[in-house]
Amino acid sequence: MAILSLRGVTKSFGEGAQRVDAVSGVSLDIERGEMVSLVGPSGSGKSTLLAMVGGLLTPTAGQILMDEVDIVQFGRGDRTRYRRDKVGFVFQGSNMVPFLTARENLLLVAQFGGADKSALRRRADELLNELELTSVADQLSTRLSGGERQRVAIARALMRDPMLILVDEPTASLNTELGERVVDSLAAEVHDRNKACIMVTHDDRMAARADRLIEFRDGRLLNDGST
């Protein structure tokens, strides 16, 4: 059974003759343990789709089912809890707090929600170890390389053990070797922990490292198949 199901999801902006469908009638299923890459030209609606799945935007029409629960019907409080507890975001920029260490950046985000501080610290150290960041855990984020910052961003997204990871252009500022390491680290987390991931990317080489590649154009799915 799919962990995430989209059913006729549409997002429109404007009204009447000015109406634009950024996403139009998208239906899609994603399984646990599956990493999906979403590719297409700029302006095709990829980031809009990601924002709706993450609860940052509300669809104009359609359903977004997480474990068979339609998040479109959530009120403000439920939507906030969904983003906090069920979804991990990795953005194009690592967005580290510059005056905090790598470990402190993880703990800062994770502390909201009342979790035990000692448990959070154990979780942070576990992720830093898994992503080969133990040696830089106590370094300020400004002293980290681009690849290290992106791996810290991945670790931060995983701190609350989300079921779904949403990644928007994680390797745009990295060279090929660093980009491959970042994507492979993310894929390992998805497969080993039985999560689901959608990665938006313009880089065909990175997209090919996912389990499945979906082509998106003009707000619609064109192709959906194994990489």
Side-chain angles (χ1 to χ4, degrees), residues 33-91:
E34 184 176 36
M35 184 174 181
V36 174
S37 57
L38 189 62
V39 302
S42 297
S44 61
K46 305 184 303 299
S47 294
T48 300
L49 183 65
L50 213 65
M52 288 190 288
V53 171
L56 298 172
L57 286 177
T58 301
T60 305
Q63 295 179 302
I64 300 175
L65 305 172
M66 172 65 79
D67 275 344
E68 301 185 296
V69 176
D70 187 4
I71 72 167
V72 177
Q73 302 302 319
F74 283 171
R76 180 178 296 178
D78 286 338
R79 189 178 294 271
T80 298
R81 285 185 287 274
Y82 166 73
R83 290 195 299 262
R84 184 189 68 199
D85 299 333
K86 304 294 185 182
V87 183
F89 295 93
V90 183
F91 299 104

Side-chain angles (χ1 to χ4, degrees), residues 120-151:
L120 289 176
R121 189 174 180 87
R122 287 194 299 271
R123 175 64 172 156
D125 288 343
E126 178 184 272
L127 286 168
L128 290 166
N129 180 61
E130 290 178 1
L131 292 167
E132 301 180 7
L133 291 164
T134 301
S135 63
V136 298
D138 295 316
Q139 289 192 23
L140 291 175
S141 59
T142 51
R143 298 181 63 86
L144 303 180
S145 69
E148 288 167 344
R149 285 195 297 271
Q150 284 300 83
R151 280 182 284 154

Side-chain angles (χ1 to χ4, degrees), residues 131-214:
L131 292 167
E132 301 180 7
L133 291 164
T134 301
S135 63
V136 298
D138 295 316
Q139 289 192 23
L140 291 175
S141 59
T142 51
R143 298 181 63 86
L144 303 180
S145 69
E148 288 167 344
R149 285 195 297 271
Q150 284 300 83
R151 280 182 284 154
V152 171
I154 292 171
R156 184 178 57 185
L158 296 170
M159 272 294 292
R160 298 191 67 86
D161 201 26
M163 294 190 295
L164 177 65
I165 306 166
L166 303 177
V167 190
D168 195 356
E169 298 288 357
T171 64
S173 60
L174 306 180
N175 62 36
T176 299
E177 181 181 356
L178 286 176
E180 289 175 348
R181 289 177 61 187
V182 166
V183 173
D184 288 347
S185 294
L186 180 59
E189 289 294 317
V190 171
H191 298 150
D192 294 347
R193 293 181 175 273
N194 207 31
K195 300 180 182 298
C197 175
I198 304 175
M199 176 177 67
V200 168
T201 181
H202 282 97
D203 192 326
D204 291 341
R205 294 167 298 183
M206 303 307 161
R209 303 180 90 81
D211 304 302
R212 199 164 126 213
L213 187 150
I214 298 174

